[in-house]
Structure formats: C-alpha cells, structure tokens
C-alpha cells in the first residue's frame, strides 16, 4: 500500500490548484478515514482559494464529499453505526450536543457546529489548512465520526457528494431557517446549486408561489424543474417590479438570497412584503458591506436571518434528501454539468466561475 495520497492544494491566493502527494496517516481516537469517491466543486472553496474567506494558506481544498469508509479510529464504537465499506457523506456542520444551546434544544445556535480539523502535514513540511475542516478534494479524507453520515448506497457518488453542502444549505434555508409554509409567496435570488435547492425546499414546504430570479437566463429553466412557479430574468427586466407584479403588489413573504453580497441583499430588501422573512444563504466576501435604510426596515417588520448549512440536522436531513432523490422527488441529476478527474479539478472550478456550471464533481 502506498504511503501517500493525492490531494488538491492551493499554496497562494489565486494560484491554480496543484495536485500534491500528501503523507498518509491512519485515523486516531474518534476519527474515520474515508476513501473519497466524489467531491463537489463549490463557490465556498473558491472563496478560500482566492483568499476572500481566509488567508491560512496553503489550503487543502474540498468539503462536499462522499466516499467509502476505509478505516476506523480506536474510539469509534459500534454505537456510531458505521462500518468498513459503508457509503457515507461528510457533514461539515454538526452540533456538539453539549453546549448550553444544544442542551436547550437549539442546535442551530451551537458555536462549535463548524468542523475544525488540525492542519494536514504536506510532503514539504508545510501545514495545509483543510477547507471547512474537510480538505476532501483528494483521494482520502479523515474526519470525526460525528461528521460522517451513512447514506443509501443506491445513490450514485456524483449525487451523494451534493448532499454535503449545496443541497442541504439551500433546502434547509427554505424549510428550517425561513419556516416556509403553504400560504407563502417565496423569492429565491440566484439559481446556482444552493438556489435550486432552496426552490426545491420551498416546493416541498408547499409554498403558494415560488419566484426564481437570476441574471443568467440559462439558469432559470432548471429552476422550473425544481418547483419554481415563476422565473425572472434579472438581466432583462426589473426584478423588483416583476416580483411585485406576480405577488399582486405585496412583495414576497419569504426572500432567500442564495448569492450573498451587497447587490443581491439590496434586491432582497426591495422585494420584501410587510412582515416577511429575509434569509441570507449565500456567503458574502470578507469586507462586503451594505447601507440599510433602518426606518424602512423597521416599518416593514418581519425578520432578517442568516442560514448556515440550512440549519440542518445531518443525521435527520441527509438520509431524507437521499430518499427524496431515490423516489424521484428531487431531480439532483439536473445539477451535474461536469465530471472531472482530480488532475482536472481546476478546469471544473474555471467553468463554475465562468457561470457555465451549476455543480461539477471530481471523482478521484
């Protein structure tokens, strides 16, 4: 057996990915080693690669991961329900179960939810920072057992990988964070992977109207397949005026900003109805700011919330999403716009940044 594995590493901001040989180690304590079968290419990785979500270079890229269990740490007992060879998905956010928020029944408020792993020693002695604690754009990943969720092996790896980030982030934002219901008119701004999942979540919640908005007309057709009742090409029409027209002048009861940033959040504020729930789902860049008219915000009422990983419970929601896919209720195959080998991962990210991909997947 080789004593190294291949991983995607970015040494400096904006440098292309280099596939490096990384020293192999066995899992310790409660860790599980995963043979990676697929890893999705997500905008969150790009923020780290470009230095806009942190500067702890070098980064070991990748966090949207599925694979097979290769080895168990000595403290992983039978109670974990995970065995060698099992198909699993890595959940980058899992509540600790011990803090005051978890004890009070509010795991979404847990400050320790985000997976934080020690640096990954690279072959030249440098310490690689695993993106979002995973570093899974690689042939192997090692994470705590608590962050490993068994998944139905009938789900293809290219689909299962999507359950690690984009799908729960959007779906959960609509269902859990916003609490979408049958009487709601919903607007989803941005129809990338997260936005399409938000559309699907709103549809599953029975929303009365679901309006998908994007500046790229090509992204609107898939939104209809995921449950949008209306689409707005923001590159060709005034989206505020369009949303007001569709909703009879009221505006939307739920607004989900799946892009994140001053421009889209400003749009989100413009399409709100009185008493609405505005949810920021997409990740803003470091330094992004927005000037708010506080009087208008106050008079409109409602709420402004941030959704991190869709406020999902990994062991409850990931199997549910997999079951919905297998039942034909969640057409996740519509996401896939490219499959690459590890050596071509940079090309996949380039397609994503050019707006030509919803979700590409690397199969190491």
């Amino acid at each position: 057996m080789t004593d190294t594995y291949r991983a995607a590493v970015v040494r400096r901001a904006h440098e292309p990915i280099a596939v490096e040989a990384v020293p192999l180690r066995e899992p310790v304590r409660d860790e599980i080693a995963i043979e990676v079968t697929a890893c999705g290419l997500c905008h969150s990785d790009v923020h780290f690669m470009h230095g806009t979500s942190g500067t702890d270079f070098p980064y070991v890229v990748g966090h949207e991961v599925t694979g097979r269990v290769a080895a168990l740490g000595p403290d992983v007992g039978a109670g974990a329900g995970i065995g060698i060879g099992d198909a699993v998905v890595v959940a980058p956010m899992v509540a600790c179960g011990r803090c005051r928020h978890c004890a009070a029944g509010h795991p979404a408020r847990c400050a320790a939810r985000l997976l934080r792993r020690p640096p990954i020693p690279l072959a030249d002695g440098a310490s690689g920072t695993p993106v979002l604690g995973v570093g899974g754009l690689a042939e192997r990943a090692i994470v705590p057992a608590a962050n490993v969720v068994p998944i139905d092996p009938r789900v293809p790896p290219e689909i299962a990988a999507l359950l690690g980030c984009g799908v729960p982030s959007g779906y959960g934002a609509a269902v859990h964070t916003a609490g979408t219901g049958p009487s709601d008119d919903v607007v989803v701004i941005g129809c990338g992977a997260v936005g399409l999942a938000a559309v699907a979540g709103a549809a599953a919640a029975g929303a009365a109207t679901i309006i998908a908005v994007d500046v790229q007309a090509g992204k609107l057709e898939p939104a209809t397949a995921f449950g949008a009742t209306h689409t707005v090409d923001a590159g060709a029409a005034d989206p505020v005026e369009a949303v007001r027209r569709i909703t009879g002048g009221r505006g939307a009861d739920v607004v989900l900003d799946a892009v994140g940033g001053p421009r889209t959040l400003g749009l989100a504020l413009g399409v709100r109805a009185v008493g609405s729930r505005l949810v920021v789902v997409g990740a803003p860049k470091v330094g992004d700011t927005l000037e708010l008219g506080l009087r208008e915000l106050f008079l409109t009422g409602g709420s402004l919330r941030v959704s991190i990983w869709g406020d999902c419970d990994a062991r409850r929601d990931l199997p549910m999403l997999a079951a919905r896919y297998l039942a034909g209720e969640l057409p996740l195959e519509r996401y896939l716009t490219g499959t690459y080998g590890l050596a071509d991962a940079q090309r996949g990210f380039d397609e994503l940044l050019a707006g030509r991909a919803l979700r590409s997947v690397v199969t190491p």
Side-chain angles (χ1 to χ4, degrees):
M1 186 179 75
T2 180
D3 58 357
T4 63
Y5 66 94
R6 296 184 304 149
V9 178
V10 175
R11 293 277 177 166
R12 296 175 186 83
H14 294 281
E15 282 192 353
I17 286 170
V19 177
E20 300 188 11
V22 176
L24 185 70
R25 72 171 178 87
E26 292 302 309
V28 299
R29 298 182 293 278
D30 67 341
E31 294 179 329
I32 291 180
I34 297 168
E35 177 190 346
V36 176
T37 54
C39 179
L41 305 184
C42 176
H43 269 107
S44 294
D45 288 301
V46 175
H47 288 319
F48 287 96
M49 293 161 63
H50 289 180
T52 53
S53 275
T55 55
D56 295 326
F57 290 94
Y59 282 109
V60 181
V61 182
H63 65 281
E64 202 173 64
V65 174
T66 189
R68 292 181 292 269
V69 174
L72 304 174
D75 295 341
V76 180
I82 299 170
I84 301 296
D86 284 355
V88 295
V89 171
V90 176
M93 301 202 76
V94 174
C96 73
R98 300 180 299 275
C99 70
R100 63 190 183 93
H101 290 306
C102 288
H106 302 296
R109 302 178 190 173
C110 176
R113 280 197 306 157
L114 179 61
L115 177 57
R116 293 178 174 86
R117 301 296 296 143
I120 298 173
L122 304 180
D124 64 354
S127 294
T129 303
V131 165
L132 295 180
V134 181
L137 186 51
E139 294 175 322
R140 191 177 175 93
I142 296 180
V143 296
N147 295 85
V148 177
V149 180
I151 211 75
D152 193 315
R154 294 177 296 167
V155 179
E158 294 84 356
I159 299 298
L162 307 178
L163 303 181
C165 180
V167 175
S169 293
Y171 193 99
V175 174
H176 303 312
T177 314
T180 301
S183 66
D184 288 326
D185 292 331
V186 178
V187 168
V188 176
I189 300 172
C191 295
V194 173
L196 290 181
V199 168
T209 304
I210 303 170
I211 307 167
V213 179
D214 204 289
V215 294
Q216 295 185 7
K219 291 186 176 181
L220 295 173
E221 187 272 331
T224 302
F226 279 82
T229 60
H230 300 76
T231 61
V232 174
D233 179 357
D238 180 352
V240 175
E241 179 182 317
V243 169
R244 296 284 173 184
R245 184 180 69 253
I246 294 167
T247 59
R250 298 183 303 275
D253 304 300
V254 173
V255 184
L256 300 157
D257 177 5
V259 179
R263 183 176 59 83
T264 52
L265 186 54
L267 171 58
L269 288 165
V271 299
R272 296 179 67 212
V274 172
S276 63
R277 290 96 75 197
L278 194 167
V279 180
V280 179
V281 190
K285 297 177 182 177
V286 173
D288 277 352
T289 60
L290 177 71
E291 185 174 320
L292 286 175
L294 294 181
R295 180 68 176 174
E296 181 181 356
L297 184 69
F298 177 78
L299 293 176
T300 304
S303 64
L304 170 59
R305 295 191 61 185
V306 174
S307 183
I308 305 294
W309 206 59
D311 291 332
C312 285
D313 179 313
R315 292 191 177 272
R316 175 196 66 198
D317 292 329
L318 300 194
M320 176 273 295
L321 292 168
R324 294 206 68 212
Y325 165 75
L326 290 171
E329 299 168 353
L330 196 58
L332 296 180
E333 67 281 351
R334 297 293 298 268
Y335 269 53
L336 291 175
T337 44
T339 303
Y340 300 89
L342 188 56
D344 292 324
Q346 183 63 55
R347 186 155 60 94
F349 277 119
D350 292 343
E351 290 292 298
L352 179 68
L353 288 171
R356 294 189 291 265
L358 285 174
R359 210 40 140 225
S360 295
V361 173
V362 165
T363 53

